[in-house]
Amino acid sequence: MDFSLTTEERQIRDTVRSFVEKEVMPLEPEVLRNEREGRPALDADALRDLRTKARKSGFWGINTPEEYGGAALGPIMSAIIAMELGRTFVPFSFGGSADNILYAGTEEQKRRYLLPTIEGERRSCFAITEPGAGSDARNIRTRAVRDGAEWILNGEKTFITGGNEADFVMVFAVAEPYGVTCFLVDRDMGWRSEPIPTMGQWGPASLVFEDVRVPEENILGEPGRGFELAMEWIGQGRYMIPARAIGSAERMVQMAVDYAKIRRSMGRAIAEYQAIQWMIADSQVEIEAAKWLTLYAAWRVREGLDARHASSIAKLNGAVMANQVVDRVLQIHGGMGYTKELPIERWYRELRLLRIFEGTDEIQRRTIARNLIKGHARLGLIGE
Ligand SMILES: Cc1cc2nc3c(=O)[nH]c(=O)nc-3n(C[C@H](O)[C@H](O)[C@H](O)COP(=O)(O)OP(=O)(O)OC[C@H]3O[C@@H](n4cnc5c(N)ncnc54)[C@H](O)[C@@H]3O)c2cc1C
């Protein structure tokens, strides 16, 4: 069993860390100011500049296959890079990647959707959730009815990340007689979007399809196989959610340690009180546990092993951990933690989402328990 990184992996991690510290973290005050004044965290030009700088440093297409010009660094490095990016609340990610399921497209679909998404020329969104079907995703009601060489889509999607900005949507609809099918639908084919205000900075949208005509050649994969594609999209990146949260949690605990050393109460630095020390200690213990569960899930993906059970464990644990840690860090900062002068309240609101999207805590628990009960996973295994 080897927990070490290769020299090259360590160099990549250190270069990302220094990029985040030198280029991304300095934007934090601007992000807070923009958000407080109701503007997007980073305007499109600032994001483009940052991505260009990153690309010059070799950070582009982290998980994109080399044949598409990417770095193909693989799941473990992707998780480690996400941890580094999570140290800042600036909503930045390296460019050059596209949704995994777009690789299942035909050559023509790859030319029109995959390649421009990798290049950052087109923006996608993934739409399965509906007002009446969230955790119960098999219950979607959006309908696709064939009319000659076209399909006519009717229905509503909700909480779609990036749905108000996207140029096209990977939308899941019940296509009779096949069943759930994924369609690639350009905005100019006629769907509408409306932003949904939330407690965090994420701006999901509701999407409305009213007699939207989609050509047959825009079906992604096979008709009736959409649900598998949707699970592939969700499953692929599940370990990336706790990865980013681990970076945020570590940064916050460091803030708490620094603050506890300078904040005095009743004649002493609060760092001297056991009540504070225990919050710091418990936080690090939980972060370390989350880190290794996440890397284990990423390792299973890298090895081509079934990673669903490990990813559910990592996602559930990481989401709960991040929320516990941010709560403690806020507590250690007292009243200051509650103000908008510090980013802690922002993280507090943002991290809450992790327990809801891409499978709620309860759905992860359901998956884990069912795997054990049905014998798909076993207790007591090491390294298998
Ligand atoms: C900011 C944001 C971004 C999102 N982005 C996307 C996106 O890009 N694309 C997309 O398709 N969706 C997206 N979603 C939707 C998200 O995946 C769903 O909100 C989530 O799956 C939960 O579904 P729901 O909101 O309908 O809750 P429900 O399914 O109605 O659940 C309500 C409560 O019941 C619990 N529950 C439900 N079923 C069970 C069960 N069988 N056993 C025990 N408890 C259960 C849940 O855990 C939850 O506590 C996003 C959501 C948010 C908030």
Side-chain angles (χ1 to χ4, degrees):
M1 191 169 296
D2 185 358
F3 290 93
S4 59
L5 295 179
T6 63
T7 311
E8 196 199 348
E9 286 170 337
R10 224 170 302 142
Q11 276 167 355
I12 294 172
R13 181 203 57 197
D14 293 346
T15 315
V16 176
R17 185 169 292 186
S18 110
F19 181 84
V20 169
E21 281 169 7
K22 290 200 188 103
E23 305 288 351
V24 190
M25 284 183 183
L27 298 171
E28 289 182 349
E30 186 184 327
V31 164
L32 286 183
R33 213 171 28 247
N34 282 342
E35 286 177 350
R36 268 177 226 143
E37 290 166 13
R39 292 189 296 272
L42 277 183
D43 65 43
D45 289 343
L47 186 61
R48 204 172 312 113
D49 283 356
L50 211 49
R51 287 211 167 132
T52 307
K53 274 186 200 160
R55 193 169 184 170
K56 282 187 186 144
S57 316
F59 291 108
W60 195 84
I62 299 297
N63 220 0
T64 300
E66 283 167 359
E67 59 188 293
Y68 294 93
L73 293 181
I76 292 189
M77 278 320 292
S78 296
I80 291 174
I81 289 171
M83 289 177 199
E84 295 302 325
L85 290 174
R87 288 178 198 282
T88 176
F89 55 83
V90 174
F92 172 74
S93 55
F94 294 124
S97 57
D99 309 83
N100 60 337
I101 60 174
L102 289 178
Y103 290 92
T106 60
E107 288 312 309
E108 177 62 9
Q109 287 171 345
K110 285 182 186 164
R111 192 183 64 74
R112 285 172 51 206
Y113 299 100
L114 173 68
L115 300 180
T117 308
I118 291 175
E119 282 305 321
E121 292 157 6
R122 300 199 76 185
R123 279 178 293 185
S124 63
C125 66
F126 168 91
I128 188 156
T129 306
E130 297 182 0
S135 304
D136 190 9
R138 285 187 188 273
N139 195 31
I140 58 169
R141 292 276 183 260
T142 297
R143 283 279 174 277
V145 176
R146 196 200 284 273
D147 183 26
E150 290 181 327
W151 288 83
I152 303 172
L153 266 64
N154 278 288
E156 186 182 344
K157 297 290 175 182
T158 191
F159 297 131
I160 307 307
T161 301
N164 213 37
E165 296 79 28
D167 306 294
F168 72 93
V169 54
M170 297 165 280
V171 65
F172 296 82
V174 181
E176 291 306 338
Y178 303 103
V180 176
T181 300
C182 180
F183 293 86
L184 298 168
V185 190
D186 298 77
R187 189 179 282 273
D188 61 17
M189 289 176 182
W191 53 273
R192 304 190 307 274
S193 66
E194 189 70 40
I196 303 172
T198 67
M199 68 187 268
Q201 312 303 329
W202 288 66
S206 60
L207 271 45
V208 177
F209 296 80
E210 263 174 16
D211 292 332
V212 174
R213 289 184 164 268
V214 183
E216 172 87 20
E217 64 263 25
N218 278 34
I219 289 180
L220 183 65
E222 287 172 42
R225 302 297 297 272
F227 203 74
E228 283 100 317
L229 278 181
M231 291 305 110
E232 213 180 293
W233 186 93
I234 293 170
Q236 170 78 12
R238 199 162 254 167
Y239 65 88
M240 294 294 278
I241 294 173
R244 196 150 178 145
I246 286 161
S248 310
E250 285 189 335
R251 171 104 183 269
M252 282 187 285
V253 172
Q254 189 58 55
M255 286 172 67
V257 169
D258 295 344
Y259 187 74
K261 287 199 286 193
I262 55 161
R263 178 68 181 169
R264 297 184 71 78
S265 172
M266 301 176 196
R268 288 180 182 191
I270 59 169
E272 291 182 34
Y273 295 116
Q274 195 183 50
I276 302 292
Q277 289 173 0
W278 284 26
M279 285 197 270
I280 291 169
D282 288 348
S283 296
Q284 180 169 21
V285 170
E286 288 167 21
I287 291 170
E288 287 303 307
K291 192 181 290 174
W292 298 109
L293 286 175
T294 300
L295 290 172
Y296 175 64
W299 174 82
R300 290 194 72 89
V301 175
R302 187 185 76 181
E303 298 301 305
L305 299 168
D306 187 341
R308 287 172 294 182
H309 193 66
S311 296
S312 277
I313 293 176
K315 199 266 180 184
L316 170 64
N317 176 75
V320 172
M321 173 282 291
N323 279 273
Q324 284 177 176
V325 168
V326 69
D327 189 70
R328 293 192 196 107
V329 169
L330 195 151
Q331 192 69 16
I332 291 172
H333 283 78
M336 279 307 293
Y338 194 67
T339 69
K340 285 193 183 280
E341 260 179 65
L342 296 177
I344 303 167
E345 65 80 33
R346 183 192 188 283
W347 260 311
Y348 190 91
R349 287 182 286 111
E350 188 174 298
L351 290 169
R352 188 63 184 81
L353 174 62
L354 306 193
R355 296 184 51 207
I356 296 171
F357 78 164
E358 298 203 19
T360 62
D361 287 1
E362 293 72 28
I363 294 303
Q364 304 304 342
R365 288 193 176 97
R366 176 178 179 267
T367 304
I368 295 162
R370 283 163 61 119
N371 285 344
L372 287 173
I373 291 163
K374 291 187 171 176
H376 302 319
R378 278 193 295 140
L379 293 161
L381 299 180
I382 295 177
E384 285 149 83

